[in-house]
CSV table of all heavy atoms in Angstrom, one decimal:
chain,number,residue,atom,x,y,z
H,1,ASP,N,82.1,84.3,113.0
H,1,ASP,CA,81.9,84.8,114.4
H,1,ASP,C,83.1,85.4,115.0
H,1,ASP,O,83.2,85.7,116.2
H,1,ASP,CB,81.4,83.7,115.3
H,1,ASP,CG,80.0,83.2,115.0
H,1,ASP,OD1,79.3,84.0,114.3
H,1,ASP,OD2,79.6,82.2,115.4
H,2,VAL,N,84.1,85.8,114.2
H,2,VAL,CA,85.3,86.5,114.6
H,2,VAL,C,85.2,87.9,114.0
H,2,VAL,O,84.8,88.1,112.9
H,2,VAL,CB,86.6,85.9,114.2
H,2,VAL,CG1,87.8,86.7,114.6
H,2,VAL,CG2,86.7,84.4,114.7
H,3,ILE,N,85.5,88.9,114.8
H,3,ILE,CA,85.4,90.3,114.4
H,3,ILE,C,86.9,90.8,114.1
H,3,ILE,O,87.8,90.6,114.9
H,3,ILE,CB,84.8,91.2,115.5
H,3,ILE,CG1,83.5,90.7,115.9
H,3,ILE,CG2,84.7,92.7,114.9
H,3,ILE,CD1,82.9,91.5,117.1
H,4,TYR,N,87.0,91.4,112.9
H,4,TYR,CA,88.3,91.9,112.5
H,4,TYR,C,88.2,93.4,112.3
H,4,TYR,O,87.3,93.9,111.7
H,4,TYR,CB,88.8,91.3,111.1
H,4,TYR,CG,89.0,89.8,111.2
H,4,TYR,CD1,87.9,88.9,111.0
H,4,TYR,CD2,90.2,89.2,111.6
H,4,TYR,CE1,88.1,87.5,111.0
H,4,TYR,CE2,90.4,87.9,111.7
H,4,TYR,CZ,89.3,87.0,111.4
H,4,TYR,OH,89.5,85.6,111.5
H,5,ALA,N,89.1,94.1,112.9
H,5,ALA,CA,89.2,95.6,112.8
H,5,ALA,C,90.5,95.9,112.1
H,5,ALA,O,91.6,95.4,112.6
H,5,ALA,CB,89.1,96.2,114.1
H,6,PHE,N,90.5,96.8,111.1
H,6,PHE,CA,91.7,97.2,110.4
H,6,PHE,C,92.1,98.6,110.8
H,6,PHE,O,91.4,99.6,110.6
H,6,PHE,CB,91.4,97.1,108.9
H,6,PHE,CG,91.1,95.7,108.5
H,6,PHE,CD1,89.8,95.2,108.5
H,6,PHE,CD2,92.1,94.9,108.0
H,6,PHE,CE1,89.6,93.9,108.2
H,6,PHE,CE2,91.9,93.6,107.7
H,6,PHE,CZ,90.6,93.1,107.7
H,7,LEU,N,93.3,98.7,111.4
H,7,LEU,CA,93.8,99.9,112.0
H,7,LEU,C,95.0,100.4,111.2
H,7,LEU,O,95.8,99.7,110.7
H,7,LEU,CB,94.2,99.7,113.5
H,7,LEU,CG,93.2,99.1,114.4
H,7,LEU,CD1,93.8,99.1,115.8
H,7,LEU,CD2,91.9,99.9,114.4
H,8,THR,N,95.1,101.7,111.3
H,8,THR,CA,96.3,102.5,110.7
H,8,THR,C,97.0,103.2,111.9
H,8,THR,O,96.3,103.8,112.8
H,8,THR,CB,95.9,103.5,109.7
H,8,THR,OG1,95.4,102.8,108.6
H,8,THR,CG2,97.0,104.4,109.3
H,9,PHE,N,98.3,103.1,111.9
H,9,PHE,CA,99.1,103.8,112.9
H,9,PHE,C,99.9,104.9,112.2
H,9,PHE,O,100.4,104.7,111.0
H,9,PHE,CB,100.1,102.9,113.6
H,9,PHE,CG,99.4,101.8,114.4
H,9,PHE,CD1,99.6,100.5,114.0
H,9,PHE,CD2,98.7,102.1,115.6
H,9,PHE,CE1,99.0,99.5,114.7
H,9,PHE,CE2,98.1,101.0,116.3
H,9,PHE,CZ,98.2,99.7,115.8
H,10,HIS,N,100.1,106.0,112.8
H,10,HIS,CA,100.9,107.1,112.2
H,10,HIS,C,101.4,108.0,113.3
H,10,HIS,O,101.2,107.9,114.4
H,10,HIS,CB,100.1,107.8,111.1
H,10,HIS,CG,98.9,108.5,111.6
H,10,HIS,ND1,98.9,109.8,112.0
H,10,HIS,CD2,97.6,108.1,111.7
H,10,HIS,CE1,97.7,110.2,112.4
H,10,HIS,NE2,96.9,109.1,112.2
H,11,ASN,N,102.2,109.0,112.8
H,11,ASN,CA,102.9,109.9,113.8
H,11,ASN,C,102.1,111.2,114.1
H,11,ASN,O,102.6,112.1,114.8
H,11,ASN,CB,104.3,110.3,113.3
H,11,ASN,CG,104.2,111.2,112.0
H,11,ASN,OD1,103.1,111.4,111.5
H,11,ASN,ND2,105.3,111.8,111.6
H,12,GLY,N,100.8,111.2,113.7
H,12,GLY,CA,100.0,112.4,113.9
H,12,GLY,C,99.9,113.2,112.6
H,12,GLY,O,99.1,114.2,112.6
H,13,LYS,N,100.6,112.8,111.6
H,13,LYS,CA,100.5,113.5,110.3
H,13,LYS,C,100.3,112.6,109.1
H,13,LYS,O,100.6,112.9,108.0
H,13,LYS,CB,101.8,114.4,110.1
H,13,LYS,CG,101.9,115.5,111.2
H,13,LYS,CD,103.1,116.4,110.9
H,13,LYS,CE,103.1,117.6,111.9
H,13,LYS,NZ,104.2,118.5,111.6
H,14,PHE,N,99.9,111.4,109.4
H,14,PHE,CA,99.8,110.3,108.5
H,14,PHE,C,101.1,110.0,107.8
H,14,PHE,O,101.2,109.8,106.6
H,14,PHE,CB,98.7,110.6,107.4
H,14,PHE,CG,97.3,110.3,107.9
H,14,PHE,CD1,96.3,111.3,108.0
H,14,PHE,CD2,97.0,109.0,108.4
H,14,PHE,CE1,95.1,111.0,108.4
H,14,PHE,CE2,95.7,108.7,108.9
H,14,PHE,CZ,94.7,109.7,108.9
H,15,VAL,N,102.2,110.1,108.6
H,15,VAL,CA,103.5,109.7,108.2
H,15,VAL,C,104.0,108.6,109.1
H,15,VAL,O,103.5,108.5,110.2
H,15,VAL,CB,104.5,111.0,108.2
H,15,VAL,CG1,105.9,110.6,107.9
H,15,VAL,CG2,104.0,112.0,107.2
H,16,ASN,N,105.0,107.8,108.6
H,16,ASN,CA,105.3,106.6,109.3
H,16,ASN,C,104.0,105.7,109.4
H,16,ASN,O,103.7,105.1,110.5
H,16,ASN,CB,105.9,106.8,110.7
H,16,ASN,CG,107.4,107.1,110.7
H,16,ASN,OD1,108.0,106.8,109.7
H,16,ASN,ND2,107.9,107.6,111.8
H,17,TRP,N,103.3,105.7,108.4
H,17,TRP,CA,102.0,105.1,108.3
H,17,TRP,C,102.1,103.6,108.1
H,17,TRP,O,102.6,103.1,107.1
H,17,TRP,CB,101.2,105.8,107.1
H,17,TRP,CG,99.9,105.2,106.6
H,17,TRP,CD1,99.3,104.0,106.9
H,17,TRP,CD2,99.0,106.0,105.8
H,17,TRP,NE1,98.1,103.9,106.3
H,17,TRP,CE2,97.9,105.1,105.6
H,17,TRP,CE3,99.0,107.2,105.2
H,17,TRP,CZ2,96.8,105.5,104.8
H,17,TRP,CZ3,97.9,107.6,104.5
H,17,TRP,CH2,96.8,106.8,104.3
H,18,THR,N,101.7,102.8,109.1
H,18,THR,CA,101.7,101.4,109.0
H,18,THR,C,100.3,100.8,109.3
H,18,THR,O,99.4,101.6,109.8
H,18,THR,CB,102.7,100.8,110.0
H,18,THR,OG1,102.4,101.2,111.3
H,18,THR,CG2,104.1,101.3,109.6
H,19,CYS,N,100.1,99.6,109.1
H,19,CYS,CA,98.8,99.0,109.3
H,19,CYS,C,98.9,97.7,110.2
H,19,CYS,O,99.9,97.0,110.2
H,19,CYS,CB,98.2,98.6,107.9
H,19,CYS,SG,98.1,99.9,106.7
H,20,THR,N,97.8,97.4,110.8
H,20,THR,CA,97.7,96.1,111.5
H,20,THR,C,96.2,95.7,111.5
H,20,THR,O,95.3,96.5,111.2
H,20,THR,CB,98.2,96.2,113.0
H,20,THR,OG1,98.5,94.9,113.4
H,20,THR,CG2,97.2,96.9,113.9
H,21,THR,N,96.0,94.4,112.0
H,21,THR,CA,94.7,93.9,112.1
H,21,THR,C,94.4,93.5,113.5
H,21,THR,O,95.3,92.8,114.1
H,21,THR,CB,94.5,92.7,111.2
H,21,THR,OG1,95.0,93.0,109.8
H,21,THR,CG2,93.1,92.2,111.1
H,22,MET,N,93.3,93.9,114.1
H,22,MET,CA,92.9,93.4,115.4
H,22,MET,C,91.8,92.4,115.3
H,22,MET,O,91.0,92.5,114.4
H,22,MET,CB,92.4,94.6,116.2
H,22,MET,CG,93.4,95.8,116.4
H,22,MET,SD,94.8,95.3,117.3
H,22,MET,CE,94.1,95.1,118.9
H,23,GLN,N,91.8,91.4,116.2
H,23,GLN,CA,90.9,90.3,116.1
H,23,GLN,C,90.2,90.2,117.5
H,23,GLN,O,90.8,90.2,118.5
H,23,GLN,CB,91.6,89.0,115.8
H,23,GLN,CG,90.8,87.8,115.8
H,23,GLN,CD,91.7,86.6,115.6
H,23,GLN,OE1,91.9,86.2,114.4
H,23,GLN,NE2,92.2,85.9,116.6
H,24,SER,N,88.9,90.0,117.4
H,24,SER,CA,88.1,89.7,118.7
H,24,SER,C,87.3,88.4,118.5
H,24,SER,O,86.5,88.3,117.5
H,24,SER,CB,87.2,90.9,119.0
H,24,SER,OG,86.4,90.6,120.2
H,25,ARG,N,87.4,87.5,119.5
H,25,ARG,CA,86.6,86.3,119.5
H,25,ARG,C,85.5,86.3,120.6
H,25,ARG,O,84.9,85.3,120.8
H,25,ARG,CB,87.5,85.1,119.7
H,25,ARG,CG,88.5,84.9,118.5
H,25,ARG,CD,89.4,83.7,118.7
H,25,ARG,NE,90.2,83.4,117.6
H,25,ARG,CZ,89.9,82.8,116.5
H,25,ARG,NH1,88.7,82.2,116.4
H,25,ARG,NH2,90.7,82.6,115.5
H,26,ASP,N,85.4,87.5,121.2
H,26,ASP,CA,84.4,87.6,122.3
H,26,ASP,C,83.5,88.8,122.1
H,26,ASP,O,83.2,89.5,123.1
H,26,ASP,CB,85.1,87.6,123.7
H,26,ASP,CG,86.0,88.8,123.9
H,26,ASP,OD1,86.1,89.6,122.9
H,26,ASP,OD2,86.6,88.9,124.9
H,27,ASN,N,83.0,89.0,120.9
H,27,ASN,CA,82.0,90.0,120.6
H,27,ASN,C,82.6,91.4,120.8
H,27,ASN,O,81.8,92.3,121.2
H,27,ASN,CB,80.7,89.8,121.3
H,27,ASN,CG,80.1,88.5,121.0
H,27,ASN,OD1,79.5,88.4,119.9
H,27,ASN,ND2,80.1,87.5,121.8
H,28,GLY,N,83.9,91.6,120.7
H,28,GLY,CA,84.5,92.9,120.7
H,28,GLY,C,84.8,93.4,122.1
H,28,GLY,O,85.2,94.5,122.3
H,29,HIS,N,84.7,92.5,123.1
H,29,HIS,CA,85.1,92.9,124.5
H,29,HIS,C,86.6,93.0,124.6
H,29,HIS,O,87.2,93.9,125.3
H,29,HIS,CB,84.6,91.9,125.5
H,29,HIS,CG,83.1,92.0,125.7
H,29,HIS,ND1,82.5,93.0,126.4
H,29,HIS,CD2,82.1,91.2,125.2
H,29,HIS,CE1,81.2,92.9,126.4
H,29,HIS,NE2,80.9,91.8,125.7
H,30,THR,N,87.4,92.1,124.0
H,30,THR,CA,88.8,92.1,124.1
H,30,THR,C,89.4,91.9,122.7
H,30,THR,O,88.7,91.3,121.8
H,30,THR,CB,89.4,91.0,125.0
H,30,THR,OG1,89.0,89.7,124.5
H,30,THR,CG2,88.9,91.2,126.4
H,31,TRP,N,90.6,92.4,122.4
H,31,TRP,CA,91.1,92.4,121.1
H,31,TRP,C,92.6,92.0,121.1
H,31,TRP,O,93.3,92.2,122.0
H,31,TRP,CB,91.1,93.8,120.5
H,31,TRP,CG,89.7,94.4,120.3
H,31,TRP,CD1,88.9,95.0,121.2
H,31,TRP,CD2,88.9,94.3,119.1
H,31,TRP,NE1,87.7,95.3,120.7
H,31,TRP,CE2,87.7,94.9,119.4
H,31,TRP,CE3,89.1,93.8,117.8
H,31,TRP,CZ2,86.6,95.0,118.4
H,31,TRP,CZ3,88.1,93.9,116.9
H,31,TRP,CH2,86.9,94.4,117.2
């Protein structure tokens, strides 16, 4: 019952490309 979203961050050219995971325990209202 936890939602996980996998995000990529970059500089606008897919450089300085890093990753993180977002988690929501309230059906995606807050992360």
